[in-house]
Amino acid sequence: MNEIERRRTFAIIAHPDAGKTSLTEKLLLFGGQIQVAGAVKSNKIKKTATSDWMEIEKQRGISVTTSVMEFDYHGYKINILDTPGHQDFAEDTYRTLTAVDSVIIVVDGAKGVETQTRKLMEVCRMRNTPVIIFINKMDREAKDPFDLLDELEEELAIKVRPLSWPIESGPRFRGVYNIYERKLNLFQPSKQVVTEKVEVDVQTEELDRHIGVSLAGKLRGELELIEGVYPDFAVEDYLKGELAPVFFGSALNNFGVEELLNCFVKIAPSPRPVVAEERTVIPQEPKFTGFIFKITANIDPNHRSCVAFCKVCSGKFARNTPYTHVRHHKTMRFSSPTQFMAQRKTTVDEAWAGDIIGLPDNGTFKIGDTLTEGEELHFKGLPSFSPEMFKYIENADPMRTKQLNKGIDQLMDEGVAQLFVNQFNGRRIIGTVGQLQFEVIQYRLENEYNALCRWEPVSLYKACWIESDDAAELEAFKKRKYQYMAKDRDGRDVFLADSSYVLQMAQMDFKHIRFHFTSEF
Ligand code: G4P
């Protein structure tokens, strides 16, 4: 396999508590990156922080930032992009999904599909990202597997195909039958030991010997039903994002994880072509191109510098080589690009399409920026979603207006939240997906920019970007709604609707105006 084809860049996504951290940890165990279970901590609230990149993370125990973990496995190079554990940082997760070629969704077998799973799946669907589903916690009492499959199909609006099948759950859990490899895995609860695997022909008595006559009979019936109901697994449908293979297991007990990983490396896509405004970029192209999908603050609190995460879209990136920062028309060289393993980072000399590299940044990058070997390219597909919470941001120390403005500017470049300027009163409105983001902004303005801000309430329901081919109607709309019109940072028109009723009425009254809930259209 060549360097690019052997790469698998993906993210694990889940509703909080479904087992994302546990699964990530087991994958790292297989990759030989860690030796014992328990080395990776959950990045959730109330737990000790996994990283001290930001003081606020220490205080709150949330890994606000996304990190990348990489390892080699059976000749494949695996890049796992970690995503924030807290849903107030969902926007971060959405953006991270633009840098992956596939995802693994973890679902709690007892809870089924939860809100966050549904939202994340919507983002995957927008981009036709191939997904594999891992139903976790089978060692606990779980829902009926057929019901779970129906629920997945219905709630996530994707066809599913089981590639493994559980034999009971909870205290009666006996293991899973691996449909993909035709092997039976018998379950022994253990966090460290990989359990016994036997190759059995399900039609023979050997199966009865392993799990008893009655369970064997039930399993045969269920497998028959699966073969009858679900068409054969078609890799092409998976790669198109239309069909999700489903595995069952228990991440905590390291059960069913190796099967998942083995199947994953075989079927998951290597780096996929990336669409730019000008053309589609193929990973195998010799010239380097990449885009910034994430900027994190203050990895080292003694330095003001940030790290910009760049996804290599094509070719090979090399250290100390001149590249073009397309937005600034500027040539840049990077003397210390980094790659990551949880918190450890090392300087790298080269990286290939599919890899993620960290570039030291002093405010030169903005989310979505493109780097090339000189070509004018603008990668598309970094959506901004309509925020869900809004507040006016006010200066609380008139002596430090400059600092505040600079701070707000840079934080918005990092994509921490979205800024709208109300065209009627000139006031600045910050939009977020969760309360925590306001706290992060206030804290960082104070600690990094020496500026003080104050929040004031504004009652808004949604911000939507508006467009129309009918210039007169657009003008009429803006006139009618002048108190509710704002501009985003790129100068685009945004309508701030204060209730869903108002929004519906506007949509009805102005039929030629398109109301967008993501800013990329
Ligand atoms: P997350 O990152 O998706 O939020 O989930 P995480 O892996 O942290 O798992 C959430 C909780 O579920 C943890 O328990 C974890 O131990 C448990 N868990 C994960 N996988 C399994 C599984 O296969 N079986 C069972 N029975 N439990 C599982 P916790 O009590 O919140 O934390 P801890 O004290 O165990 O670390």
Side-chain angles (χ1 to χ4, degrees):
M1 271 182 297
N2 70 30
E3 280 299 340
I4 294 170
E5 262 147 44
R6 75 184 193 98
R7 275 162 165 74
R8 299 284 180 273
T9 303
F10 74 107
I12 302 176
I13 53 179
H15 190 86
D17 255 2
K20 181 167 73 75
T21 311
S22 310
L23 181 64
T24 308
E25 174 181 284
K26 296 304 164 345
L27 296 179
L28 293 178
L29 269 177
F30 284 113
Q33 282 292 351
I34 52 172
Q35 267 62 49
V36 287
V40 178
K41 293 275 179 337
S42 162
N43 60 4
K44 275 176 317 199
I45 204 154
K46 283 202 234 90
K47 297 201 174 176
T48 45
T50 53
S51 88
D52 50 358
W53 286 6
M54 271 169 61
E55 192 62 27
I56 194 157
E57 288 183 59
K58 272 193 225 156
Q59 292 180 355
R60 295 192 168 278
I62 304 164
S63 170
V64 179
T65 50
T66 304
S67 64
V68 185
M69 287 157 274
E70 34 169 69
F71 59 87
D72 278 300
Y73 182 75
H74 294 184
Y76 294 92
K77 163 96 188 281
I78 314 277
N79 295 317
I80 308 179
L81 274 63
D82 192 15
T83 52
H86 197 284
Q87 64 190 39
D88 281 12
F89 299 97
E91 184 91 23
D92 247 34
T93 305
Y94 300 152
R95 274 196 297 260
T96 300
L97 292 181
T98 64
V100 301
D101 299 301
S102 68
V103 304
I104 293 179
I105 299 182
V106 184
V107 173
D108 182 327
K111 296 195 179 137
V113 175
E114 296 172 88
T115 38
Q116 208 48 25
T117 335
R118 222 172 280 130
K119 277 196 187 166
L120 292 165
M121 182 64 209
E122 269 168 43
V123 182
C124 294
R125 201 168 323 108
M126 274 164 60
R127 312 176 53 81
N128 301 320
T129 310
V131 301
I132 295 182
I133 299 172
F134 182 73
I135 299 191
N136 190 29
K137 305 197 189 181
M138 291 309 291
D139 60 317
R140 294 220 189 130
E141 210 64 60
K143 293 188 182 179
D144 175 76
F146 282 110
D147 289 349
L148 275 169
L149 294 179
D150 286 347
E151 186 177 329
L152 290 171
E153 267 192 346
E154 208 163 291
E155 301 262 344
L156 302 181
I158 188 163
K159 283 188 289 175
V160 296
R161 172 63 160 100
L163 290 187
S164 80
W165 195 251
I167 303 161
E168 303 294 292
S169 70
R172 299 177 318 285
F173 184 50
R174 296 300 312 276
V176 292
Y177 180 74
N178 186 336
I179 300 174
Y180 190 65
E181 291 176 1
R182 299 189 180 279
K183 276 186 196 147
L184 182 70
N185 292 2
L186 295 171
F187 177 67
Q188 303 158 345
S190 159
K191 291 183 189 172
Q192 306 284 354
V193 183
V194 179
T195 43
E196 188 190 346
K197 281 182 201 136
V198 276
E199 235 162 298
V200 290
D201 180 347
V202 286
Q203 300 310 337
T204 62
E205 273 180 13
E206 210 190 332
L207 183 67
D208 306 47
R209 263 208 316 284
H210 284 296
I211 58 172
V213 179
S214 114
L215 285 182
K218 189 172 168 211
L219 178 64
R220 286 189 194 105
E222 288 177 339
L223 289 176
E224 222 164 86
L225 195 58
I226 291 167
E227 299 308 323
V229 172
Y230 296 97
D232 280 349
F233 173 62
V235 162
E236 316 79 69
D237 292 348
Y238 156 72
L239 290 173
K240 278 190 264 172
E242 291 170 0
L243 174 77
V246 180
F247 288 84
F248 291 83
S250 165
L252 187 67
N253 295 293
N254 201 355
F255 191 79
V257 177
E258 195 177 10
E259 293 69 33
L260 172 77
L261 181 59
N262 287 345
C263 175
F264 169 80
V265 290
K266 269 191 223 126
I267 65 170
S270 53
R272 304 202 295 171
V274 189
V275 182
E277 266 164 44
E278 293 79 1
R279 64 188 185 87
T280 298
V281 175
I282 311 293
Q284 285 76 8
E285 289 175 17
K287 288 195 175 161
F288 161 75
T289 63
F291 69 88
I292 307 294
F293 66 95
K294 163 94 199 155
I295 296 173
T296 65
N298 292 2
I299 285 189
D300 177 352
N302 297 321
H303 297 97
R304 181 61 60 80
S305 97
C306 302
V307 166
F309 287 76
C310 173
K311 158 100 187 233
V312 181
C313 297
S314 69
K316 187 178 104 172
F317 169 93
R319 198 156 80 94
N320 276 326
T321 307
Y323 293 122
T324 304
H325 182 309
V326 175
R327 183 169 57 91
H328 286 332
H329 299 285
K330 205 169 92 181
T331 302
M332 298 178 83
R333 275 168 215 273
F334 302 94
S335 57
S336 49
T338 46
Q339 280 186 336
F340 305 83
M341 164 45 221
Q343 285 107 300
R344 287 202 309 274
K345 36 177 199 134
T346 45
T347 302
V348 289
D349 291 322
E350 54 179 50
W352 299 85
D355 285 341
I356 312 293
I357 42 176
L359 306 172
D361 173 34
N362 298 310
T364 35
F365 285 118
K366 199 168 128 171
I367 299 279
D369 275 346
T370 303
L371 288 171
T372 67
E373 291 191 18
E375 185 179 352
E376 273 289 306
L377 267 186
H378 299 84
F379 284 108
K380 301 207 298 189
L382 277 150
S384 292
F385 289 82
S386 174
E388 280 153 37
M389 298 176 92
F390 302 88
K391 282 182 186 178
Y392 283 123
I393 186 163
E394 297 296 342
N395 190 356
D397 181 352
M399 302 299 287
R400 287 182 267 166
T401 306
K402 246 189 169 155
Q403 285 91 325
L404 183 78
N405 291 346
K406 182 171 174 224
I408 294 178
D409 234 34
Q410 292 201 347
L411 293 181
M412 296 308 127
D413 275 353
E414 277 180 35
V416 173
Q418 293 181 56
L419 176 74
F420 305 103
V421 179
N422 188 316
Q423 296 301 284
F424 172 61
N425 55 21
R427 292 178 79 181
R428 287 178 290 194
I429 296 171
I430 301 278
T432 68
V433 290
Q435 175 59 31
L436 263 178
Q437 277 166 291
F438 292 114
E439 294 172 31
V440 171
I441 292 171
Q442 188 159 19
Y443 181 93
R444 289 190 53 191
L445 284 173
E446 225 177 298
N447 285 275
E448 292 168 36
Y449 299 94
N450 198 19
L452 289 179
C453 79
R454 193 177 66 236
W455 300 111
E456 282 186 20
V458 50
S459 164
L460 289 177
Y461 164 69
K462 263 210 159 58
C464 39
W465 288 264
I466 56 166
E467 255 195 333
S468 177
D469 300 327
D470 184 339
E473 185 166 322
L474 194 61
E475 269 325 295
F477 180 83
K478 288 203 238 172
K479 228 177 199 162
R480 168 102 71 92
K481 300 285 181 192
Y482 70 102
Q483 284 173 309
Y484 296 96
M485 288 308 302
K487 294 266 188 208
D488 73 2
R489 292 190 75 222
D490 297 322
R492 285 179 295 196
D493 288 320
V494 177
F495 170 51
L496 306 168
D498 54 353
S499 71
S500 68
Y501 174 74
V502 165
L503 181 59
Q504 271 172 20
M505 291 303 286
Q507 284 168 320
M508 262 160 48
D509 291 349
F510 294 87
K511 293 243 179 323
H512 300 107
I513 292 183
R514 294 184 290 278
F515 296 81
H516 299 282
F517 299 97
T518 56
S519 77
E520 215 217 19
F521 39 82

